[in-house]
Amino acid sequence: MMLKKSRILLIGAASVLALGACDSKDAIKTAPSKEPVAATVNGVAIPASTVELMVKERTAQGQPDSPELRKAIIENLAMQHLVAAEAVKKGVDKQPETQRQLELVRQSILANAFVADYIKNTPVTDEMLKAEYDKVAALAGEYKARHILVKEEAEAKAIVAELQKDVTKFAAMAQEKSMDPGSKVNGGDLGWFDPRSMVPEFGAAVAKLEKGKFTEVPVKTQFGYHVILLEDSKKAEAPPLESVKEQLKQQVQRTNLTKLFDDMKTKAKIEIAGQPAAPAVAK
């Protein structure tokens, strides 16, 4: 369904490391003399901290920390070092395509480090958690609704004006005008859903409606303008705040990051040179 929320995906430390370790010069640097060493390859040290970083990533994915896991990680890093060093000898690190990939990896590492630093140094207060909990509690339950999605606000307002005369036209108007291919054929019917699974503006609007009523002010989302009709609802009691604190904390962090990224994008000057090239069609 096109209304489902999207997620902010961050590159995992192990994924970044697996790519970043192939940086031509960094791949053959020795570790600082005071840093503990896990192994050496042709006299070049593999830092113990690098192994610990990868162990942390693997255990976060569900693998148990064990001597076998650590041995496999060290062997993989050793082989990675050997191959990367050979690439440097052959000048592969100087190739334009390799340089572009290395720069992308560098940017990925910096971006993830920025996010980790932001989360670490931007505490989520009890007041933030309570405010987020109140929003979640207001949405608790299941709702059965229809919607009409259009591109322009003016068209949405015209639909509202027609429905104010005769709301029984809703399904027919959805079939005729809605841009949502998943629900349009069924007269805009979305079935039963948890409003928290929808984009925030849509979910909040549904939760405020009374049964049999529709949104007389079009609801704007990233997809366009929605006119929403609530057909039925099943209210539910929200879980205790203490039991969902960690999930709420993560949601607040995601929301804060999204606002931060949006602000960065608004202030930046981004210029796209022409239209992205269409993929080549095989003959």
Side-chain angles (χ1 to χ4, degrees):
M1 185 187 300
M2 67 187 301
L3 294 169
K4 296 292 184 181
K5 287 188 280 191
S6 59
R7 299 178 181 175
I8 300 175
L9 300 179
L10 301 178
I11 301 172
S15 300
V16 169
L17 184 62
L19 291 170
C22 290
D23 190 326
S24 59
K25 294 181 181 177
D26 289 344
I28 58 175
K29 282 182 180 177
T30 58
S33 58
K34 293 183 180 180
E35 184 174 358
V37 171
T40 59
V41 183
N42 292 333
V44 179
I46 295 175
S49 59
T50 300
V51 176
E52 291 302 323
L53 180 64
M54 296 200 70
V55 168
K56 183 178 179 180
E57 179 74 17
R58 299 289 182 83
T59 54
Q61 295 172 356
Q63 296 186 46
D65 186 354
S66 67
E68 292 77 16
L69 174 64
R70 290 173 177 269
K71 181 174 182 291
I73 288 172
I74 292 172
E75 289 178 348
N76 182 64
L77 288 172
M79 180 54 66
Q80 189 167 252
H81 168 82
L82 289 173
V83 176
E86 193 64 26
V88 172
K89 286 181 186 178
K90 292 183 177 295
V92 174
D93 60 315
K94 300 296 191 298
Q95 295 175 358
E97 182 64 21
T98 304
Q99 289 291 318
R100 284 192 289 271
Q101 291 181 18
L102 290 174
E103 178 57 24
L104 285 174
V105 170
R106 175 180 171 277
Q107 290 180 15
S108 294
I109 293 172
L110 286 173
N112 281 278
F114 173 84
V115 169
D117 181 74
Y118 177 86
I119 290 174
K120 178 181 178 182
N121 294 294
T122 309
V124 176
T125 65
D126 289 340
E127 290 76 14
M128 292 178 182
L129 288 175
K130 181 61 167 59
E132 187 67 25
Y133 177 78
D134 289 343
K135 288 195 293 184
V136 171
L139 297 177
E142 284 188 286
Y143 295 76
K144 188 175 186 302
R146 295 176 184 268
H147 83 133
I148 302 170
L149 172 64
V150 293
K151 184 177 180 180
E152 302 295 337
E153 183 178 18
E155 184 178 6
K157 288 182 175 180
I159 290 171
V160 167
E162 285 296 314
L163 292 173
Q164 286 173 332
K165 299 174 186 176
D166 186 0
V167 72
T168 62
K169 293 181 178 179
F170 198 100
M173 293 187 74
Q175 288 179 333
E176 179 187 351
K177 300 179 181 294
S178 183
M179 296 190 309
D180 181 6
S183 66
K184 143 173 218 172
V185 293
N186 297 317
D189 188 8
L190 296 170
W192 286 96
F193 59 87
D194 183 334
R196 292 169 295 184
S197 69
M198 301 297 192
V199 290
E201 304 90 342
F202 191 97
V206 168
K208 292 176 183 176
L209 282 172
E210 295 179 17
K211 182 177 176 180
K213 301 293 184 179
F214 64 91
T215 52
E216 298 195 3
V217 175
V219 179
K220 183 181 180 181
T221 73
Q222 66 201 70
F223 303 108
Y225 291 87
H226 308 257
V227 181
I228 309 166
L229 169 67
L230 179 63
E231 295 188 322
D232 204 354
S233 64
K234 301 174 185 176
K235 289 291 184 179
E237 187 174 340
L241 173 58
E242 288 300 320
S243 69
V244 292
K245 254 190 173 182
E246 187 56 37
Q247 297 97 307
L248 291 174
K249 180 180 178 181
Q250 293 175 13
Q251 179 59 43
V252 171
Q253 288 171 339
R254 285 194 294 269
T255 301
N256 290 343
L257 277 168
T258 299
K259 289 179 180 177
L260 178 63
F261 294 157
D262 287 344
D263 185 54
M264 287 180 177
K265 188 174 180 180
T266 299
K267 293 178 179 178
K269 184 178 181 181
I270 301 174
E271 297 177 319
I272 299 176
Q275 294 297 322
V281 179
K283 295 181 179 181

